[in-house]
Amino acid sequence: MPGVLLGDVFPNFEAETTIGRIKFHDFLGDSWGILFSHPRDFTPVCTTELACAAGITGEFKKRGVKMIALSIDSVEDHTNWSKDVMAFNGETGTPLPFPIIADDKRVLSVQLGMLDPDEIDKDGMPLTARCVFVIGPDKKLKLSILYPATTGRNFDELLRVIDSLQLTAQKKVATPVNWKPGDKVMVIPSLSEAEATALFPNGVTCKELPSGKKYLRYTQP
Ligand code: BEZ
């Protein structure tokens, strides 16, 4: 089955986009990257998603994450659709602040395992699902999320997971359920008590459990 798995080097594909032809790794440079796919241009849920993404580009920039979208229409369609997206945001005349890949031959959608077999166009061809790939500065896949065409994504959640990915890439911690930046984090299980004490100057607290096992260890990063 085509697709990219966590830890794989993300394909260094070439593609036409609304900012010209790109080679993906050159586009990313040394940054983190987020690639999010859409079923089709000029569709309602996709328009709300792209508009939301455009409205919070500053948040992605702050985190050093380059944004790029993809759908299975042409550059010309993407350029025209972008005008609708920005008008939806009340910013008529402002360009969309990130490029869109034109995957009108579905080459990337097949290579990256992004097609949704339940969403068929008038020609009987599958549309793209709502995929999200977060790529690290080492060009490896750090996170993938796959939603069907009929369910729009939560871009606040995407920022939250990027915060977790960037924190856990730097420190030997993991973020618990519903974690938000500023909350306590968990010490990863592979660290010994002595290593944890040495690594976390803010201290480590351990929750007592019926098993007596000391694995629920919190620290303030
Ligand atoms: C939408 O973006 O609104 C959409 C696209 C394809 C199928 C269902 C909804």
Side-chain angles (χ1 to χ4, degrees):
M1 189 185 126
V4 192
L5 301 177
L6 290 185
D8 286 354
V9 172
F10 205 81
N12 188 17
F13 61 81
E14 286 193 41
E16 295 300 334
T17 79
T18 47
I19 56 164
R21 194 163 182 84
I22 62 157
K23 243 184 140 178
F24 191 52
H25 289 190
D26 294 342
F27 168 77
L28 291 176
D30 295 329
S31 300
W32 286 73
I34 183 166
L35 189 162
F36 40 98
S37 66
H38 296 273
R40 191 113 244 186
D41 294 4
F42 305 105
T43 51
V45 176
C46 297
T47 301
T48 61
E49 285 190 323
L50 272 204
C52 173
I56 57 171
T57 38
E59 292 297 321
F60 286 95
K61 209 171 184 172
K62 220 159 69 185
R63 291 160 175 81
V65 181
K66 290 193 98 171
M67 306 166 76
I68 192 160
L70 176 150
S71 102
I72 51 172
D73 292 296
S74 64
V75 168
E76 189 185 356
D77 281 338
H78 289 347
T79 304
N80 288 326
W81 180 37
S82 299
K83 293 177 191 156
D84 287 0
V85 169
M86 294 312 282
F88 179 80
N89 267 1
E91 293 185 74
T92 303
T94 307
L96 189 74
F98 50 82
I100 313 178
I101 297 167
D103 192 32
D104 40 352
K105 306 267 188 310
R106 291 175 171 77
V107 173
L108 279 175
S109 298
V110 170
Q111 183 184 358
L112 301 176
M114 297 195 291
L115 292 175
D116 181 347
D118 285 341
E119 290 297 333
I120 304 295
D121 69 11
K122 60 178 173 26
D123 303 316
M125 297 292 286
L127 301 181
T128 340
R130 298 182 195 281
C131 300
V132 181
F133 297 111
V134 178
I135 301 114
D138 58 1
K139 312 286 183 294
K140 290 184 180 169
L141 180 67
K142 305 298 180 190
L143 172 120
S144 69
I145 307 178
L146 182 53
Y147 282 53
T150 40
T151 302
R153 287 156 287 199
N154 181 329
F155 275 70
D156 289 336
E157 169 63 1
L158 298 184
L159 292 173
R160 191 193 73 88
V161 293
I162 287 168
D163 286 334
S164 170
L165 292 170
Q166 293 187 335
L167 174 67
T168 59
Q170 281 171 9
K171 299 195 173 173
K172 290 185 183 299
V173 297
T175 59
V177 63
N178 297 339
W179 173 86
K180 308 180 292 318
D183 289 353
K184 285 186 171 174
V185 297
M186 324 290 305
V187 176
I188 54 170
S190 58
L191 274 192
S192 70
E193 215 174 308
E195 286 169 323
T197 307
L199 268 182
F200 303 112
N202 292 332
V204 176
T205 54
C206 187
K207 186 158 173 59
E208 294 297 326
L209 296 165
S211 67
K213 295 182 192 293
K214 296 186 179 304
Y215 60 92
L216 259 172
R217 298 179 295 175
Y218 290 92
T219 190
Q220 192 70 53

Short mmCIF file of all heavy atoms in Angstrom, two decimals, residues 39-40 43-47 119 127 130 149-150, ligand 1:
data_model
loop_
_atom_site.label_atom_id
_atom_site.label_comp_id
_atom_site.label_asym_id
_atom_site.label_seq_id
_atom_site.Cartn_x
_atom_site.Cartn_y
_atom_site.Cartn_z
N PRO A 39 -9.91 17.66 -0.67
CA PRO A 39 -10.55 16.87 -1.72
C PRO A 39 -10.64 17.60 -3.07
O PRO A 39 -10.41 17.00 -4.10
CB PRO A 39 -11.95 16.60 -1.18
CG PRO A 39 -11.82 16.72 0.30
CD PRO A 39 -10.74 17.73 0.55
N ARG A 40 -10.94 18.89 -3.04
CA ARG A 40 -11.24 19.55 -4.32
C ARG A 40 -11.29 21.06 -4.10
O ARG A 40 -11.67 21.50 -3.01
CB ARG A 40 -12.62 19.05 -4.79
CG ARG A 40 -12.99 19.41 -6.19
CD ARG A 40 -13.06 18.20 -7.09
NE ARG A 40 -12.06 18.26 -8.12
CZ ARG A 40 -12.00 17.37 -9.12
NH1 ARG A 40 -12.86 16.38 -9.20
NH2 ARG A 40 -11.06 17.46 -10.02
N THR A 43 -14.95 23.89 -2.90
CA THR A 43 -15.87 23.08 -2.09
C THR A 43 -15.96 23.73 -0.70
O THR A 43 -15.00 24.38 -0.25
CB THR A 43 -15.40 21.61 -1.95
OG1 THR A 43 -14.04 21.61 -1.52
CG2 THR A 43 -15.52 20.86 -3.25
N PRO A 44 -17.11 23.57 -0.03
CA PRO A 44 -17.34 24.40 1.16
C PRO A 44 -16.42 24.13 2.35
O PRO A 44 -15.85 25.05 2.93
CB PRO A 44 -18.81 24.13 1.51
CG PRO A 44 -19.18 22.87 0.80
CD PRO A 44 -18.29 22.77 -0.40
N VAL A 45 -16.31 22.85 2.75
CA VAL A 45 -15.49 22.56 3.94
C VAL A 45 -14.03 22.95 3.69
O VAL A 45 -13.37 23.57 4.55
CB VAL A 45 -15.61 21.06 4.34
CG1 VAL A 45 -14.69 20.74 5.50
CG2 VAL A 45 -17.05 20.71 4.67
N CYS A 46 -13.54 22.61 2.49
CA CYS A 46 -12.15 22.95 2.15
C CYS A 46 -11.93 24.45 2.22
O CYS A 46 -10.87 24.90 2.66
CB CYS A 46 -11.83 22.49 0.73
SG CYS A 46 -11.91 20.72 0.52
N THR A 47 -12.91 25.21 1.78
CA THR A 47 -12.76 26.67 1.80
C THR A 47 -12.62 27.17 3.24
O THR A 47 -11.77 28.01 3.54
CB THR A 47 -13.96 27.33 1.08
OG1 THR A 47 -13.98 26.83 -0.26
CG2 THR A 47 -13.85 28.84 1.07
N GLU A 119 -15.27 8.92 -1.73
CA GLU A 119 -15.64 10.21 -2.32
C GLU A 119 -15.24 10.21 -3.79
O GLU A 119 -14.08 10.32 -4.13
CB GLU A 119 -14.94 11.37 -1.59
CG GLU A 119 -15.44 11.61 -0.20
CD GLU A 119 -16.91 12.04 -0.14
OE1 GLU A 119 -17.42 12.62 -1.12
OE2 GLU A 119 -17.54 11.76 0.89
N LEU A 127 -11.62 11.30 -4.81
CA LEU A 127 -11.06 12.59 -4.40
C LEU A 127 -10.00 12.35 -3.33
O LEU A 127 -9.88 11.25 -2.78
CB LEU A 127 -12.18 13.47 -3.81
CG LEU A 127 -13.36 13.78 -4.74
CD1 LEU A 127 -14.36 14.68 -4.02
CD2 LEU A 127 -12.87 14.45 -6.02
N ARG A 130 -8.60 14.25 3.61
CA ARG A 130 -7.96 15.38 4.33
C ARG A 130 -6.79 14.81 5.12
O ARG A 130 -6.96 14.36 6.25
CB ARG A 130 -8.98 16.05 5.26
CG ARG A 130 -10.15 16.63 4.51
CD ARG A 130 -11.13 17.35 5.39
NE ARG A 130 -12.36 17.54 4.65
CZ ARG A 130 -12.56 18.48 3.73
NH1 ARG A 130 -11.61 19.35 3.47
NH2 ARG A 130 -13.70 18.56 3.08
N ALA A 149 -13.22 13.08 3.60
CA ALA A 149 -13.57 14.36 2.97
C ALA A 149 -14.69 15.08 3.72
O ALA A 149 -14.75 16.31 3.72
CB ALA A 149 -13.96 14.13 1.52
N THR A 150 -15.57 14.32 4.34
CA THR A 150 -16.76 14.93 4.95
C THR A 150 -16.52 15.50 6.35
O THR A 150 -17.46 16.04 6.95
CB THR A 150 -17.89 13.87 5.00
OG1 THR A 150 -17.31 12.63 5.38
CG2 THR A 150 -18.57 13.71 3.66
C1 BEZ B 1 -16.09 19.97 1.08
O1 BEZ B 1 -14.96 20.45 1.11
O2 BEZ B 1 -17.06 20.62 1.45
C2 BEZ B 1 -16.30 18.56 0.61
C3 BEZ B 1 -15.51 18.03 -0.38
C4 BEZ B 1 -15.75 16.72 -0.79
C5 BEZ B 1 -16.74 15.96 -0.20
C6 BEZ B 1 -17.50 16.50 0.83
C7 BEZ B 1 -17.29 17.81 1.24
#
